[in-house]
Amino acid sequence: NAGVMQNPRHLVRRRGQEARLRCSPMKGHSHVYWYRQLPEEGLKFMVYLQKENIIDESGMPKERFSAEFPKEGPSILRIQQVVRGDSAAYFCASSPLRGQSNTQYFGPGTRLTVL
Amino acid sequence: AQKVTQAQTEISVVEKEDVTLDCVYETRDTTYYLFWYKQPPSGELVFLIRRNSFDEQNEISGRYSWNFQKSTSSFNFTITASQVVDSAVYFCALSEEETSGSRLTFGEGTQLTVNP
C-alpha cells in the first residue's frame, strides 16, 4: 500500500539547466498538489492538478515553471533555466476523489539544489 | 484571504514535559478544515489530524491532543509526556473547501526540540 512517491529525492542542477520532478499519487487518488518549501520557511502552495487538467495554478511563478498530470504516468513539475533562488524542497501531495476526505498525504519531497 | 499563524518559532523542552504548540487562523468561510502535520529531521511530512469547523470537540490520540476553539480561532496541539522522538517541525494548516480541491495554507511551523 504505497504512499505518495516522489523522485528524485535529491537533484542538483547548474544555473540555466532544467529540473524535472516527478510525483506518483497514492493508489486511488486523483488529485495532485505541489508545494514548495524554501529554507527555514513553511510550505507554499504552487499548483493543483487532476488527470489532464490544471485546476489551480495561482501559486506558480509566472515564468519558467510548469506542471502536468497526464492520463498515464506521474505528475511532473518542470522548472526551466533554474536559478539559485529555486533551491528548495518541493513536495507533492495527493488526495482522493471529490466527495471524499480532503486530507492531503505528502510524498517525501525532492530537494533541489542549484549551483 | 486565509492565514495561519504559529507564533512559536522554536520550543525546547526536557523529556517527559508537556508542551503545547499554538495555532491561530484567519478565514472568512464558515466551512473550513484544520490540519496538523509533523516534519521530522528526515524531512517527510506526516499527517496527524484533520478537524472540520463544525466539530469543536477536543480530540485525543495517545499522547497527542488537540484543542479547537472557534471563538478564538485557535487549534492548539498538546503533546503530553514528550519524548525525544517528538523532536520535529510541526505545521498547522487550513483548507477552505470540504472536498478535495483546495490548497492548504500552512503556518510557518514550530521547531520542537525534546532533550533527554
Side-chain angles (χ1 to χ4, degrees):
Chain A
N1 197 11
V4 179
M5 311 284 285
Q6 287 189 252
N7 68 81
R9 295 290 304 275
H10 300 274
L11 183 62
V12 178
R13 285 287 178 267
R14 297 193 179 279
R15 281 178 297 171
Q17 292 184 320
E18 178 180 288
R20 283 193 180 220
L21 289 61
R22 295 174 185 76
C23 169
S24 296
M26 284 178 72
K27 188 175 181 181
H29 286 192
S30 58
H31 299 241
V32 166
Y33 308 78
W34 286 92
Y35 293 83
R36 178 165 66 175
Q37 185 178 30
L38 294 168
E40 310 299 326
E41 292 188 14
L43 285 84
K44 299 285 191 268
F45 168 80
M46 298 180 75
V47 61
Y48 157 48
L49 310 103
Q50 295 177 17
K51 286 283 186 183
E52 299 183 283
N53 282 308
I54 296 174
I55 307 302
D56 180 359
E57 58 180 344
S58 56
M60 288 277 270
K62 295 285 184 261
E63 298 176 350
R64 302 187 297 108
F65 286 73
S66 62
E68 62 176 5
F69 190 14
K71 189 176 179 180
E72 302 290 338
S75 175
I76 306 287
L77 179 66
R78 182 181 177 208
I79 312 172
Q80 295 178 290
Q81 299 174 343
V82 296
V83 301
R84 290 225 173 106
D86 297 332
S87 295
Y90 292 83
F91 288 92
C92 168
S94 72
S95 65
L97 285 169
R98 219 171 168 81
Q100 301 178 21
S101 166
N102 65 344
T103 298
Q104 294 180 24
Y105 295 91
F106 283 80
T110 294
R111 271 84 184 158
L112 172 65
T113 302
V114 179
L115 301 177
Chain B
Q2 50 189 353
K3 183 180 179 183
V4 176
T5 301
Q6 294 179 255
Q8 303 150 307
T9 306
E10 296 181 21
I11 299 177
S12 183
V13 299
V14 176
E15 210 169 14
K16 298 185 183 176
E17 283 186 26
D18 297 348
V19 58
T20 296
L21 310 181
D22 297 334
C23 172
V24 174
Y25 62 91
E26 295 176 28
T27 178
R28 295 179 188 169
D29 280 22
T30 55
T31 301
Y32 52 90
Y33 290 78
L34 296 161
F35 302 81
W36 277 93
Y37 288 86
K38 174 182 180 180
Q39 187 175 40
S42 49
E44 73 272 24
L45 277 160
V46 179
F47 165 73
L48 296 178
I49 190 170
R50 168 184 179 263
R51 170 67 79 219
N52 74 58
S53 53
F54 298 108
D55 183 1
E56 289 192 68
Q57 280 193 336
N58 291 332
E59 176 136 352
I60 298 175
S61 176
R63 296 184 297 107
Y64 294 171
S65 61
W66 290 270
N67 183 357
F68 178 28
Q69 296 273 352
K70 220 168 174 179
S71 58
T72 57
S73 298
S74 65
F75 186 44
N76 296 338
F77 173 30
T78 297
I79 302 174
T80 303
S82 60
Q83 300 176 1
V84 173
V85 292
D86 295 327
S87 297
V89 180
Y90 291 86
F91 292 99
C92 180
L94 168 70
S95 170
E96 289 178 329
E97 281 188 8
E98 179 179 5
T99 53
S100 291
S102 179
R103 65 177 67 189
L104 288 173
T105 297
F106 284 85
E108 293 301 306
T110 297
Q111 169 73 61
L112 173 65
T113 302
V114 181
N115 299 298

